[in-house]
Each structure stands twice: as structure tokens, then as C-alpha cells.
Amino acid sequence: MLFRSRPSLPPHLLTFAQGEEEQVLPAFVRLLKNNGLDRQNDGMPLVFKAVGWVGKDKREQGKLCLQCYLPGYQRRTIRSRRHFKNLLSYIQQQTGTAPVAFRNAVLRGICQALTIAGMRHPSTNHAFTRNTFLTWLRDANEPAHRKLLTSLAKWCLQSECRDRRPHEIRDQIVTYLWKNWGDLNSSADFGEFITGEEIELQEQGQAFDNLFRDGNITIEVGTVHSVKGETHTATLYLETYYRKKTDSQRLLAFLKGGYPPELVSKPEHIENLKIAHVAMSRPTHLLAFACRKDSISGHEDALTKNGWQICTVEELCGKTANLNAMAD
């Protein structure tokens, strides 16, 4: 069975007043702790992310952007390493990401395993790549090719749903290799590659640390586009300003459960709905949407009736912040 039961938490609206933007992430930490998510023990890694539509710094224009919540935030680029020293690293790096990214990582890991075992393309004597491997296998053994595609789909689903730990998926892939290539060269290098436990990190294009840390909780901050296809334990959708309005100004009617035809006919609303859908479909345990308090003023009852639980930055961490200010 691929899906496990998970605790059901209502979606939260985390509201803040102007000037409280930098208290939003600490408040989200408090929300995680209040719901015991920092102690979640289902065998899967804890992944906490805060995402927004706009990653460009617009503070000088007085517009909401990711830098309002995390002043040191900078957009970054990531280059994938060509090779890792063990199969587990290929799997771990892409666990919970978009299926195509995970599938490609698994194929690169399989090709690297075959290369280390001394297996090369019989026609060119070159090491296999993802494409040359799949093409060769299809031409040489169509049933084996179909079986691999089925297995890839299964591993991708397990990763996306976080139903299996990376180690378990790695072991399934190793079993696949032995079943189909039982005569692989079992050298010390090959053995280390398929059993190695030390995780190598992705190579960073620029060393920007877009992380907010509080005790044992680390929240990664990024754009919605950067997490497309990922799965998180909890996700905070941060309101930003784009094309003359903020997210909540466009989405309020939808958050209350409506679907006004006059709004869904507007391209900017359709685009915002798509962005919100990507952000809000990431978490397995808790979704929170951070928005300005005045954006939902007067609509609290309708939002609550539609299932939202409303809390404020002041309620979650205001008292602590005031005590710290008095101590200073």
C-alpha cells in the first residue's frame, strides 16, 4: 500500500500587521511546534519550506517580497553534480521532488552503477547515459525495457508520496540490478557504490543560505516555482505583491469558498490561482498562508466557515518579542 494515514490539520491563515513581516517565520515555527510537527516521527525526513511568488527584491518600492520576511534572501542557481560516489546520494537528492527529476536521478544512478561494474554500450564502448541506456535496452530486450519503465514509475510514486525511505528505494533498485544483471562485476568499488551511506550534496552555483533556523527547526525560503513537484511536511505560502495586487487581494473570494466568474476570466487571477495551487498542494501535514491582517479584515467568519483557522503573529510570538524588547 503506497499511501499511509496522516494526521489531518486544518489550513491556517497566519496574519500579520504592516511592520511585522520579519516575525512571520518565527510565528510559523511556533505554529509547527504547537502542532507537534517538530517531533513528527513517521520515519520520513522533516521538510519545512516557506515560498512566495516574487523572489525579486522590491522593498525599495514598498512592495511585499520574500526579502520582507527573510532580509538576507537571494535568488540562487543550482547545478546538478554529474556523478555521486554512491547510489543513495542520487536518490536522496531528489526524494520528494518532481517525478521527472527523481526518474532522471535514478537512471543516472543506474548508469553509473553499470559503468563502475565495467558494463558499457556494446556498439560504442562508451559509458551509458540515460538516453543511450534506455534506447539500447528497448532494442535489446523490450520486456526488460517495459519492466524498467514500470519500476521507475513505482519508485517515483514512492518518492513523491514519501511512502518509502530513500534507503528502501535504493535497496529496490539494487535488487533490480542483480535480477537483471546478475553477472555484474562485484568489485569493491561497485559494492561501495551500491551500499555507501554517506550523502553527497548538490553542487551550489552560488552559496546563498536562504534558511531560517530556530532551535531544531530549519525552514528553507524560496519561490513557488523552485518547489514545483516537491512534497513538504509543512508549507508556508508567503504573500507577495505582483502586478498591482497581493495574493490575498486576488484570492480572498476563493479562500472563502467562492468561484466568481468575473474573477476567473481575468488572466492575472488565473495565474495567481495556479501559483497558489502549486504552493498549497506541497504539504503532507500542514498548510499555512501568511497574509496582511487588513487584507482579510471583516471576512474572518466566512473564512473560518470555509475551514481556515486564523491566527496572528502577535498571538504566536508577540508576547515573546515584547519580553525580549523589554530585556534589551
Side-chain angles (χ1 to χ4, degrees), residues 1 4 44 49 87 97 110 133 143 179 191 221 228-229 240 258:
M1 183 174 180
R4 296 174 180 170
M44 300 306 297
K49 296 203 176 184
L87 181 58
T97 63
I110 290 175
F133 174 63
K179 280 186 176 180
V221 180
K228 188 174 182 179
T240 57

Side-chain angles (χ1 to χ4, degrees), residues 20 23 26 313-314 316-328:
E20 292 182 332
Q23 290 297 311
V313 163
E314 184 179 8
L316 289 168
C317 63
K319 292 181 180 179
T320 302
N322 291 334
L323 288 173
N324 290 339
M326 293 174 62
D328 292 339

Side-chain angles (χ1 to χ4, degrees), residues 251-263:
L251 300 178
L252 180 60
F254 304 97
L255 297 175
K256 293 191 294 183
Y259 198 75
E262 68 276 11
L263 295 184

